[in-house]
Amino acid sequence: MELVKIAKTNLRSDLKKKLSLMTAREITEQSKIITNKLLSHSVYKKSNRVSIYLSMDSEVQTYSIVKDIFISGKICFIPKYNKSEMFMVKIKSIDELNSLPKTKWNISQPADDDLREDALTTGGLDLIIVPGLGFTTDGKRLGRGKGYYDRCITEYKKKYPLNNLKIIGLAFSEQICNDIPINQQDILIDFLICP
């Protein structure tokens, strides 16, 4: 267990270095390619209730995807974090998203007293689009080390075992790894979309 933790820490450090070397233009260009691939993916096309992360500067940019979720009449959920857990809360429009306050990571999320539908309570998610620092082509994912997505998705699948939830990871070419050390808490993704 300790060896896995050390290996993950080292890999995170390497991946953060690689990402820090990407230019804004490279991030934009790769994000466009990834967005187009996602929007034409059969799982995305068939989905109705979609949870998507709101990107930080060093992640695959998701604003265009969020816009498409609304344009195509899907229902949109975004992560809402507190110190120990993450919820998937509903937003109704791109204007509403633009009006949300920003966290210390410069990510929009509803304020603590802003009560919204939470997908963990109401169910029915078809698709969760996840960020990560690193991914393998066979479904392993390395997050930032807090375990928010692993816990949230595990809890969701436990609560709704018959739901056909799919998980898609988005990654720059620089984030593809030959292998990622994992333990039993780490969820696997169903599909990886990269340039």
Side-chain angles (χ1 to χ4, degrees):
M1 192 62 131
E2 197 56 38
L3 288 175
V4 168
K5 202 173 178 180
I6 292 165
K8 282 183 174 186
T9 301
N10 292 338
L11 185 53
R12 275 190 192 100
S13 177
D14 292 346
L15 288 163
K16 282 178 184 173
K17 275 187 205 134
K18 275 187 186 178
L19 288 171
S20 73
L21 297 174
M22 289 183 74
T23 65
R25 185 176 171 184
E26 287 170 327
I27 288 171
T28 301
E29 286 175 1
Q30 286 198 43
S31 291
K32 277 183 188 164
I33 294 166
I34 293 163
T35 297
N36 290 335
K37 282 184 166 188
L38 174 74
L39 300 187
S40 62
H41 197 285
S42 61
V43 168
Y44 175 78
K45 283 179 156 180
K46 281 188 253 177
S47 66
N48 181 40
R49 288 167 65 89
V50 180
S51 170
I52 183 160
Y53 71 95
L54 301 177
S55 48
M56 294 191 287
D57 292 343
S58 62
E59 293 176 323
V60 174
Q61 300 300 290
T62 58
Y63 192 77
S64 298
I65 300 166
V66 176
K67 283 192 349 197
D68 188 81
I69 289 170
F70 290 116
I71 290 165
S72 54
K74 301 177 191 296
I75 299 165
C76 186
F77 293 82
I78 61 168
K80 179 179 175 179
Y81 304 86
N82 64 30
K83 282 191 170 79
S84 59
E85 57 192 336
M86 178 174 80
F87 307 93
M88 297 295 179
V89 296
K90 185 176 178 179
I91 56 167
K92 295 187 177 90
S93 68
I94 208 77
D95 290 337
E96 184 181 57
L97 172 64
N98 292 335
S99 72
L100 292 175
K102 302 259 192 217
T103 65
K104 65 180 178 187
W105 300 289
N106 202 30
I107 298 173
S108 299
Q109 83 169 23
D112 291 341
D113 60 353
D114 183 348
L115 299 177
R116 294 170 177 268
E117 178 183 340
D118 172 21
L120 191 60
T121 306
T122 57
L125 277 182
D126 306 303
L127 173 60
I128 299 180
I129 299 168
V130 297
L133 274 176
F135 295 90
T136 63
T137 52
D138 64 350
K140 293 177 186 169
R141 172 186 168 273
L142 181 70
R144 293 185 179 271
K146 302 270 191 231
Y148 284 119
Y149 276 94
D150 295 317
R151 286 193 306 278
C152 185
I153 291 168
T154 300
E155 195 177 333
Y156 189 89
K157 285 184 169 185
K158 234 184 258 173
K159 196 167 178 182
Y160 304 103
L162 301 177
N163 188 353
N164 193 20
L165 175 68
K166 297 290 181 218
I167 301 157
I168 293 181
L170 306 181
F172 298 124
S173 301
E174 288 79 355
Q175 294 176 282
I176 308 303
C177 305
N178 292 328
D179 195 23
I180 292 173
I182 60 169
N183 54 38
Q184 70 258 27
Q185 291 99 291
D186 295 322
I187 55 119
L188 296 177
I189 63 169
D190 298 297
F191 302 98
L192 175 63
I193 298 182
C194 56

